Amino acid sequence: MSRALYSVEAEHGVLGAMMLDAEKIDLIAAKLTAGDFYEPDNAALFAAIMDCHADGMPVDAVTVGVTHQFLPSGERVLAYAGEIAKNVPSAANWEAYANVVKERAVLRRVVEAADSIRELVGEDRPVAEIIASAQQAVADLHDLGGGGQDYCHVSEALPEVIDELDAKFHRRVDRGHSTGLPDLDGIIQGARPGNMIVIAGLPGSGKTTLGLQIAQHIATGGAGKGLVFSMEMSKKELINRGIASLGSVQLSRIDEGHSLEDGDWTGITAAVDKLQNSGLYLCDAPGLTAPSIRSIARHAQRTHGLDVVVVDYIGLIASEGRSQNRTVELGRISTAMKTLAKELKLPVIVLAQLNRDSTKRPGKRPVPQDLRDSGQIEADADTVILVHRDNETEQGQNGVTELIVGKCRHAKVGSCLVQHQGQFSRFVSFAGQREVSQEDLEIGRGKFGRGF
């Protein structure tokens, strides 16, 4: 990359000014984000400074180095921050430094947009598609140069809202992406852009299966493109699950290989064809943190365009070396996932585990408060879907699973039954009759809304 597209000196100047004069931090934060820094170590140091400032701590090389020990390069934060602070004599020129960093960041994004459009031309795409992509790229670049205000009068936003309302009334727009399960769509009204959707369950309940299936449905059905972050499974395991689900081939046979039957190859071929032509992207990189997930998702959004992101699962997202307990860290990670959904304007589906409190109460039905480790996850979520299957009942043993929508900002809560087909690693609509439990008779349908 050309030297003109970044300035390490200006980046150091900004970081030094922030450590020398805490009053400049909010002013700089109004102009820059970590994504504006070219050097990964500088971006990480900027994020560390902002974290300390948000926690009300005095910001200097020592405090930042104590709370964040290592940079992406492996260098210690304390030494790196101390060297920068020593070499920047004063914070007086912070604005000039910040302007250079912002301008170079904008130039890099212009180049990225141009490269993306050039790639489309080289792929011999339809002219209309190339033009649409170019228009979107230009729209994404609008106002990147800064200097504008981040607020507006309500009258400025009203026309867009009214136009959207009119489009909804005349059914010209979808409210959200289909999950592929009609009964679940009927409750949550689709996976909506900007929403953080939490899918939670006990180990083995099928929460991973549901999250992957939704992304797969969107990406293979022509509705859009999806990116799946998996901290538990490798890309090969994810693809095997996709082949089993789409091809109706038993996952155990795919894992073994030698037990595959002649009839399975037809399903495998069909599934491979769907995956090959899908808009599905996978990331199984180890040690993913919330900032690294954001960085990868932003790059995929710019390069390919995204319509859904799945994170499996929040409890395995690595911390950034903080001294606080895991509950505090998970709260920060949860808020970062919600921010990502708003920033990229797409649904971010976050998988989470439940504690076992629900297994101790009558009926064993979980509630959002059963989310493990952090109440912030429930607070940040726009929608909470709890995957519940009681394996002590005959229906549960047969795979009948209840999807409980315990929270939904834009619709009523409710629940529906689906059939878990574990051998194919998928859920399908439930076609049988629901068993009415004593708890249902006592509480009544009204509590659960639609879905029964």
Side-chain angles (χ1 to χ4, degrees):
M1 178 175 285
S2 170
R3 182 71 174 178
L5 294 182
Y6 65 94
S7 170
V8 174
E9 295 80 8
E11 292 184 4
H12 286 179
V14 168
L15 297 170
M18 296 173 80
M19 290 185 284
L20 292 172
D21 187 352
E23 293 184 0
K24 301 294 189 291
I25 294 178
D26 287 331
L27 296 173
I28 291 172
K31 284 179 169 287
L32 300 176
T33 68
D36 291 325
F37 289 79
Y38 174 75
E39 291 288 347
D41 281 1
N42 293 338
L45 181 55
F46 178 87
I49 291 172
M50 293 306 303
D51 287 340
C52 288
H53 183 60
D55 289 340
M57 300 176 63
V59 175
D60 56 35
V62 175
T63 57
V64 175
V66 169
T67 56
H68 299 70
Q69 295 184 358
F70 295 99
L71 295 166
S73 65
E75 185 173 351
R76 286 190 171 275
V77 172
L78 180 58
Y80 191 75
E83 188 68 20
I84 289 176
K86 182 179 70 175
N87 291 332
V88 176
S90 87
N93 296 324
W94 71 269
E95 191 166 13
Y97 301 146
N99 286 339
V100 171
V101 172
K102 188 67 178 181
E103 288 169 0
R104 303 298 168 86
V106 172
L107 288 176
R108 291 196 302 274
R109 291 169 192 171
V110 170
V111 171
E112 289 173 0
D115 288 343
S116 177
I117 295 169
R118 188 179 295 110
E119 287 178 8
L120 290 175
V121 174
E123 293 171 3
D124 197 26
R125 298 285 186 91
V127 173
E129 182 179 340
I130 295 173
I131 292 174
S133 297
Q135 290 173 333
Q136 182 60 54
V138 172
D140 291 341
L141 291 171
H142 184 62
D143 287 340
L144 274 180
Q149 61 188 36
D150 291 328
Y151 61 91
C152 70
H153 187 269
V154 65
S155 61
E156 298 175 64
L158 271 173
E160 181 180 356
V161 174
I162 296 302
D163 288 344
E164 182 177 334
L165 183 60
D166 181 72
K168 288 178 180 178
F169 177 76
H170 290 96
R171 301 183 184 276
R172 294 196 301 268
V173 295
D174 293 326
R175 292 174 293 183
H177 291 289
S178 170
T179 64
L181 295 168
D183 290 341
L184 180 59
D185 286 339
I187 301 172
I188 69 171
Q189 300 176 16
R192 297 189 170 198
N195 278 10
M196 172 178 165
I197 301 171
V198 173
I199 297 177
L202 294 171
S205 61
K207 60 183 181 298
T208 295
T209 297
L210 181 58
L212 295 178
Q213 183 173 332
I214 292 173
Q216 184 176 275
H217 174 76
I218 293 171
T220 61
K225 297 178 181 179
L227 173 60
V228 176
F229 292 93
S230 178
M231 272 65 78
E232 277 197 307
M233 289 183 283
S234 67
K235 290 191 285 284
K236 291 174 63 176
E237 290 176 295
L238 295 174
I239 292 172
N240 281 342
R241 283 176 171 245
I243 292 173
S245 174
L246 293 170
S248 297
V249 180
Q250 290 188 23
L251 182 59
S252 60
R253 292 180 182 171
I254 294 174
D255 286 337
E256 294 170 352
H258 63 80
S259 60
L260 286 167
E261 300 178 354
D262 290 343
D264 291 332
W265 290 103
T266 300
I268 291 174
T269 301
V272 168
D273 184 62
K274 286 183 179 179
L275 291 171
Q276 185 74 35
N277 295 293
S278 73
L280 188 61
Y281 297 87
L282 309 175
C283 177
D284 63 354
L288 288 171
T289 62
S292 61
I293 288 173
R294 174 181 179 271
S295 176
I296 294 169
R298 280 168 53 91
H299 181 270
Q301 174 79 301
R302 292 195 302 269
T303 306
H304 309 290
L306 290 178
D307 297 276
V308 64
V309 168
V310 174
V311 179
D312 182 20
Y313 66 94
I314 192 169
L316 292 181
I317 297 176
S319 65
E320 298 176 76
R322 296 177 177 278
S323 58
Q324 293 98 331
N325 61 41
R326 184 59 176 166
T327 298
V328 173
E329 183 67 17
L330 277 174
R332 293 180 183 275
I333 292 171
S334 171
T335 301
M337 295 299 100
K338 171 58 183 174
T339 301
L340 180 65
K342 292 180 65 178
E343 179 183 0
L344 298 187
K345 297 180 177 62
L346 49 74
V348 172
I349 300 174
V350 178
L351 277 54
Q353 288 206 4
L354 295 175
N355 59 46
R356 294 193 175 274
D357 289 349
S358 61
T359 63
K360 303 172 185 177
R361 67 173 71 102
K364 302 180 181 180
R365 299 177 80 253
V367 294
Q369 291 76 19
D370 294 328
L371 283 162
R372 181 184 289 182
D373 295 326
S374 177
Q376 189 63 40
I377 299 174
E378 179 193 354
D380 289 327
D382 296 282
T383 301
V384 176
I385 302 171
L386 308 171
V387 183
H388 172 56
R389 183 168 61 255
D390 186 355
N391 289 322
E392 294 185 5
T393 66
E394 182 179 354
Q395 280 197 319
Q397 293 170 6
N398 291 327
V400 178
T401 303
E402 184 180 13
L403 301 182
I404 303 168
V405 180
K407 175 183 179 182
C408 192
R409 295 191 195 276
H410 54 267
K412 293 181 180 179
V413 297
S415 75
C416 63
L417 294 181
V418 291
Q419 180 69 49
H420 182 233
Q421 296 181 335
Q423 72 275 31
F424 300 135
S425 189
R426 69 188 181 195
F427 286 100
V428 296
S429 295
F430 179 63
Q433 294 293 319
R434 172 184 169 84
E435 291 180 357
V436 180
S437 68
Q438 184 63 34
E439 181 188 21
D440 293 337
L441 294 174
E442 292 175 356
I443 298 177
R445 296 184 178 184
K447 176 178 178 180
F448 307 110
R450 295 168 292 174
F452 287 120

